Amino acid sequence: MAALDTPKPTPMMAQYLALREEAGDALLFYRMGDFFELFFEDARTAAQILDIALTTRGEHGGAPIPMCGVPVHSAEGYLARLIKAGCRVAIAEQVETPDEAKARAKREGTPSSKTLVGRAIVRLVTAGTLTEEALLEPRRANVLAALAELRGAVGIAAVDVSTGAMVLEECAADQLGAALARLSPSEVVVPEDWQHGPDEAIHRPRSTFASDAGAERLKAVHGVATLDAFGDFSRAMLGAAGGLIAYLDHVGRGRLPLLLPPVARAGEAGMAMDAATRASLEILESTTGGRSGSLIGAVDRCVTGAGSRLLAEDLSAPLLDAAAIEARLALVQFWLTRPIERAQLRDALRGIPDLGRALGRVVAGRGSPRDLGQLRDGLSEAMRLHHWLSGAPDRPSLLDQVLAKLTGHGALTDWLGRALVPNPPTERGSGGYIADGYDAALDELRATSGDARRAIAAMEARYRDETGIATLKIRHNGVLGYFIEVSARHADRLMAPDSGFTHRQTMKDAVRFNSLKLHEEAARIAEAGGHALAAEEAHFEELVETIVTAREAIAATAAALARLDVGAGNAERASEADWCRPDIAEDAGLAITAGRHPVVEAALAKAGDRFVANDCQLADTNRLWLIGGPNMGGKSTFLRQNALIVLLAQAGCFVPASAARIGLVDRLFSRVGAADNLARGRSTFMVEMVETAAILAQATHRSFVILDEVGRGTSTYDGLALAWAVAEAVHTQIRCRCLFATHYHELARLAETCEALSLHHVRAREWQGDLVLLHELADGPADRSYGLAVARLAGVPAPVVARAKAVLEKLEATREATGGIAAGLGDLPLFAMLAAQPPQASPEQQLADALRTADLDALTPREALDLLYEWKRNLPKA
């Protein structure tokens, strides 16, 4: 916000403007009593987003000051809406009481009447730094990422601030998009003037991304002299970590959230998928937005938010280590064969709080007594699960690893059990969360306060008898404290000089009084209550300190419970629809029997329909399937379902098939469907070509590629030529497993020259003029496209369909006479032969190219003469 000129601002406005400048591009929540107020442009922005009233307050520079506000007690809901709208919010709190402000004024020698309560920005609320339960989605991780480039490599530091899980990795610059697509961060921080990050990235001083400073910050956070125990981190990783921690320190105003020891992730640790593939396969979010219609929406049967977040992480980063995949599958198998125990486990997990996020709030200084109660209850239940499951026979290795992390908190849970009431409140300002019997002195203070309250109740009854006013009440509020209230028509009795009552306030229908005895009892309550609150606060801080010390062990328990939930949830999903355990192999094969699309099958089941399963058998000698058939016949579904089965298998899940043998896939590519990207000036065809180019450049022989209708969106000749060349390149150069769907029947001739390419089609029949789509895959080329029948199904007017049929008959007659657009393609040399013999430019062309690229202004006379002689030698003889 631009600085606002004002000749003589009021003290409050001067304070506000100073804080406004400090807040930068964030909206400023300025605390005034029980409200957060916003002024000027901040008020206009917030009022529009929050749909609240925009008012004015006083004047500044001769114009009214726009203002709006939100109550402090409900601020979280408003913050959530502002963050979702892309805003950042600076919270300016009162950092001293009015009494402290007066004492400060006295020390400074300023009039106390002009003293303003001190305020400071205590926190920046941003999309990637949220910890509050009300601001977070329970089933989605909230990742903050920082990027730092060093010598062509990009370091990535990612942390879920709500749980403290931190990962460092490094990738090549051209792989950054795929890495960010996997992490799906809510916020990205990059060095200033670095142009390779996302458009919405936050730019921070470049000095905070220095690798040496990053290493020192990590050591300081974790209290270690060396990082060797955590892993081997590159300088780019350390630079990113330094930038991340510096940003967290900036938004937290010196208080860091929970940060667990960093974990180094190898760049090739998981199956690679670019952003286009993730969007095409709708892994975590459907194309319409949200979980509904996505893979995780169809698979997730977890009963805890932490389990759902871990499952999303598994699906986003499928494994390449066969042993690790088998360990996850064995855990699913264990629970699948024990339905009764699985149900008992899921019931127990359903009642366990989100330990990771409760711990995150406590360590970040935003914890409540309720969070301490959640940690007590969750850790106690984890130990109970440990005792129960330790006796289970035939436990898989992953279950043993999980069980080892569920115990070791006995002393802490006993302490929390003694210290806290059964159901602690969410706010600690009013006390009442420390259990009776835990602190004798606190119990005594409470008794004193309770005795005084009982004395006030007795006083109320006595005053009613003495005055004869049956409606007399002793009330309390935050301004007056305790007071006596009577209706206006009875006030005269208490106004008498000898009544013993002192008038305090006249309301519309009531009058309020005080008395000496009431004042004495109120003072006893206030004193005892204040001491009691201070005692409870001291106990709270002591408990928090102990939890912070044990944070890594508690976080490990939270992660173990999440892994239990994922294993049991995957078993539940497998049992619902008879999913199978895939066999994981090291070769480049793919054998799926009766495979189904998990999302489509679930949607059909809701409608009472049955999904038609299909087989897919790829091997080195039959690695490229060319699939034809009509639109709506199921080609795209077949392509996607096999890609999803591969992804699920390598994520450690059972798969929707009767049997599956998966040769490990290093990279998964999906070029299925596309849309205009108008923001970047790309048409649908351009988007398709960019995605296809990425596949041809990055796929290896261990990859799995699905391609749907390459070449559409341009002329028939161009499209067929591109589809032909791409299919040849995948078959002959890349040599990877590939499913290639197309409407170009002419591509079937590739089977004559490509020995590992086979032809398939989705079956369809016309019956009494109607098209019947069978959704079955069969061997051999498609006999026709059935495009006119599909048009009729879609409701195209009959005259238009009839005209199209006449045009089609004419075109087909021409094709039969001329051989069609594919005539002569069989005489083309193979792609590999062309690739091995790149075209050579003529000597004259080479000379012209050299002349164009020469920087004549930079040449010395001698260099120019040498260049002329060289060109003359290279010219052909006359």
Side-chain angles (χ1 to χ4, degrees):
M1 178 177 171
L4 299 167
D5 289 333
T6 177
K8 290 182 180 179
T10 63
M12 190 208 82
M13 187 52 60
Q15 183 189 64
Y16 169 82
L17 291 174
L19 293 171
R20 172 61 267 177
E21 184 175 358
E22 184 182 345
D25 62 353
L27 302 178
L28 180 64
F29 268 31
Y30 182 82
R31 178 73 177 265
M32 294 181 68
D34 293 332
F35 279 78
F36 284 120
E37 305 288 3
L38 299 97
F39 301 99
F40 300 106
E41 288 303 317
D42 287 359
R44 292 190 178 95
T45 300
Q48 183 176 8
I49 295 172
L50 301 176
D51 193 23
I52 58 178
L54 181 68
T55 62
T56 60
R57 176 191 176 108
E59 290 188 353
H60 181 74
I65 301 173
M67 181 189 81
C68 68
V70 300
V72 171
H73 68 84
S74 59
E76 284 189 354
Y78 293 103
L79 279 173
R81 291 164 64 184
L82 289 171
I83 296 299
K84 189 173 182 180
C87 300
R88 304 165 77 233
V89 181
I91 307 293
E93 286 278 11
Q94 296 173 183
V95 293
E96 61 181 358
T97 65
D99 289 340
E100 290 171 339
K102 290 177 181 178
R104 172 172 54 82
K106 187 175 181 180
R107 292 193 305 270
E108 296 172 353
T110 56
S112 60
S113 61
K114 296 184 179 180
T115 301
L116 195 65
V117 173
R119 292 177 176 85
I121 295 177
V122 297
R123 180 190 173 199
L124 275 171
V125 182
T126 71
T129 59
L130 304 175
T131 58
E132 290 83 355
E133 195 170 8
L135 304 183
L136 294 167
E137 296 182 37
R139 295 181 176 271
R140 180 178 177 182
N142 192 50
V143 176
L144 169 70
L147 312 177
E149 185 177 18
L150 186 66
R151 298 189 182 94
V154 179
I156 305 174
V159 63
D160 183 345
V161 174
S162 67
T163 62
M166 186 175 188
V167 177
L168 305 183
E169 60 182 288
E170 182 179 293
C171 69
D174 60 354
Q175 294 299 312
L176 177 59
L180 290 178
R182 169 173 47 80
L183 292 168
S184 187
S186 300
E187 189 174 9
V188 179
V189 183
V190 301
E192 57 190 356
D193 301 326
W194 193 62
Q195 304 300 321
H196 304 294
D199 294 339
E200 64 278 7
I202 304 297
H203 291 261
R204 297 291 300 156
R206 184 171 289 275
S207 59
T208 61
F209 291 84
S211 58
D212 292 342
E216 293 304 318
R217 287 193 179 100
L218 281 173
K219 292 175 189 176
V221 166
H222 299 290
V224 296
T226 176
L227 300 175
D228 293 346
F230 299 149
D232 184 16
F233 305 117
S234 70
R235 292 181 66 83
M237 293 182 194
L238 293 174
L244 181 75
I245 296 172
Y247 180 69
L248 289 172
D249 185 68
H250 165 70
V251 300
R253 287 305 192 257
R255 178 147 195 171
L256 289 174
L258 171 63
L259 293 176
L260 297 174
V263 175
R265 183 185 188 276
E268 302 299 324
M271 177 198 293
M273 291 181 283
D274 58 22
T277 297
R278 293 175 187 277
S280 171
L281 296 180
E282 301 176 281
I283 300 171
L284 301 185
E285 187 176 84
S286 69
T287 53
T288 57
R291 286 167 58 98
S292 179
S294 67
L295 174 64
I296 195 170
V299 172
D300 186 8
R301 295 297 181 271
C302 294
V303 294
T304 69
S308 292
R309 295 195 299 270
L310 182 58
L311 176 61
E313 186 179 326
D314 290 349
L315 296 177
S316 294
L319 302 173
L320 287 178
D321 184 342
I325 296 171
E326 292 292 357
R328 290 183 185 177
L329 293 173
L331 181 61
V332 179
Q333 184 76 48
F334 178 84
W335 292 116
L336 181 64
T337 56
R338 293 165 173 79
I340 296 176
E341 291 87 346
R342 183 175 77 242
Q344 292 172 340
L345 173 66
R346 285 164 60 79
D347 284 343
L349 290 172
R350 200 174 274 111
I352 294 179
D354 197 328
L355 291 184
R357 287 190 165 173
L359 177 65
R361 290 189 292 273
V362 170
V363 175
R366 300 170 198 142
S368 68
R370 179 171 176 262
D371 291 321
L372 301 189
Q374 288 185 338
L375 291 171
R376 172 199 62 196
D377 299 341
L379 294 175
S380 298
E381 186 63 20
M383 289 191 294
R384 192 190 71 79
L385 290 176
H386 174 270
H387 297 322
W388 171 45
L389 295 175
S390 294
D394 303 321
R395 297 189 307 275
S397 60
L398 184 54
L399 181 56
D400 282 335
Q401 295 172 28
V402 165
L403 292 180
K405 298 174 182 177
L406 295 183
T407 189
H409 306 291
L412 177 59
T413 54
D414 288 345
W415 187 10
L416 291 170
R418 287 184 292 106
L420 298 172
V421 297
N423 296 299
T426 55
E427 300 292 336
R428 69 179 196 254
S430 300
Y433 51 86
I434 297 297
D436 291 336
Y438 178 72
D439 180 348
L442 175 59
D443 292 343
E444 187 175 340
L445 290 169
R446 286 173 172 169
T448 301
S449 179
D451 290 343
R453 283 186 170 86
R454 283 187 289 274
I456 286 177
M459 188 185 301
E460 181 182 76
R462 187 170 71 251
Y463 283 160
R464 286 178 180 175
D465 292 339
E466 292 175 355
T467 62
I469 304 173
T471 57
L472 180 147
K473 294 183 181 298
I474 295 180
R475 300 182 182 276
H476 179 274
N477 66 29
V479 177
L480 298 179
Y482 284 95
F483 55 85
I484 300 158
E485 184 174 281
V486 298
S487 61
R489 65 192 181 91
H490 293 125
D492 289 344
R493 301 185 197 179
L494 277 63
M495 287 287 193
D498 58 349
S499 67
F501 298 98
T502 305
H503 175 258
R504 297 198 68 185
Q505 189 177 35
T506 299
M507 311 292 289
K508 180 181 179 183
D509 298 316
V511 183
R512 293 170 175 176
F513 298 86
N514 198 0
S515 72
L516 182 59
K517 293 245 179 229
L518 177 60
H519 177 74
E520 291 172 350
E521 293 298 340
R524 288 178 58 200
I525 291 174
E527 184 178 8
H531 289 316
L533 286 176
E536 289 202 63
E537 184 68 21
H539 289 312
F540 181 86
E541 294 298 337
E542 186 181 14
L543 292 171
V544 166
E545 184 178 347
T546 303
I547 288 170
V548 169
T549 302
R551 63 188 180 277
E552 292 182 23
I554 297 173
T557 298
L561 290 169
R563 180 53 67 190
L564 267 181
D565 191 18
V566 170
N570 284 342
E572 185 74 14
R573 185 66 183 93
S575 69
E576 290 175 1
D578 195 26
W579 290 14
C580 75
R581 176 174 178 169
D583 293 328
I584 306 300
E586 297 285 355
D587 59 36
L590 182 67
I592 298 170
T593 303
R596 288 109 64 197
H597 192 298
V599 180
V600 177
E601 183 182 33
L604 289 174
K606 286 182 180 179
D609 295 327
R610 183 181 65 88
F611 186 92
V612 178
N614 282 293
D615 299 345
C616 181
Q617 308 285 335
L618 299 178
D620 191 54
T621 56
N622 184 23
R623 59 181 177 269
L624 196 161
W625 279 20
L626 199 65
I627 304 166
N631 286 306
M632 299 175 56
K635 298 190 302 298
S636 298
T637 298
F638 178 74
L639 266 58
R640 284 191 174 102
Q641 79 185 34
N642 288 290
L644 292 177
I645 287 172
V646 168
L647 187 154
L648 286 169
Q650 292 189 214
C653 304
F654 278 35
V655 300
S658 298
R661 184 178 184 277
I662 311 296
L664 286 175
V665 170
D666 65 347
R667 295 168 180 262
L668 181 61
F669 293 97
S670 172
R671 218 247 42 84
V672 181
D676 291 339
N677 189 335
L678 300 180
R680 297 198 172 202
R682 292 177 177 175
S683 66
T684 301
F685 181 69
M686 183 62 174
V687 171
E688 291 178 352
M689 288 298 100
V690 168
E691 294 173 4
T692 303
I695 294 171
L696 297 176
Q698 299 172 23
T700 74
H701 74 286
R702 298 298 303 269
S703 301
F704 182 43
V705 176
I706 59 173
L707 295 166
D708 190 13
E709 300 196 35
V710 171
R712 67 178 179 178
T714 186
S715 73
T716 303
Y717 285 94
D718 284 355
L720 174 59
L722 284 167
W724 187 290
V726 169
E728 278 192 335
V730 170
H731 174 274
T732 308
Q733 287 194 309
I734 302 173
R735 305 178 64 83
C736 65
R737 289 158 286 182
C738 177
L739 300 177
F740 193 122
T742 184
H743 282 292
Y744 293 126
H745 301 300
E746 295 80 6
L747 292 182
R749 299 184 63 174
L750 282 168
E752 301 169 7
T753 54
C754 299
E755 72 285 353
L757 181 150
S758 58
L759 304 177
H760 306 265
H761 67 277
V762 288
R763 295 181 61 207
R765 289 290 181 268
E766 282 192 283
W767 174 256
Q768 296 181 349
D770 291 329
L771 179 65
V772 179
L773 301 169
L774 302 177
H775 303 294
E776 295 175 357
L777 198 73
D779 294 339
D783 54 352
R784 355 173 359 196
S785 287
Y786 299 97
L788 301 188
V790 172
R792 186 163 49 247
L793 274 178
V796 174
V800 176
V801 174
R803 175 59 177 166
K805 184 176 181 181
V807 174
L808 176 63
E809 291 172 351
K810 183 68 173 176
L811 292 173
E812 287 179 340
T814 303
R815 180 181 64 190
E816 291 175 3
T818 63
I821 62 173
L825 287 179
D827 300 330
L828 279 173
L830 291 179
F831 189 97
M833 296 174 60
L834 287 173
Q837 299 175 357
Q840 296 291 323
S842 66
E844 291 81 0
Q845 185 61 47
Q846 294 178 27
L847 176 57
D849 291 341
L851 185 58
R852 289 192 189 96
T853 58
D855 187 355
L856 301 180
D857 293 332
L859 295 175
T860 66
R862 180 64 185 177
E863 290 171 338
L865 186 60
D866 291 341
L867 198 56
L868 283 172
Y869 279 119
E870 180 183 347
W871 289 345
K872 184 176 181 179
R873 283 195 302 270
N874 292 334
L875 283 175
K877 294 181 180 180

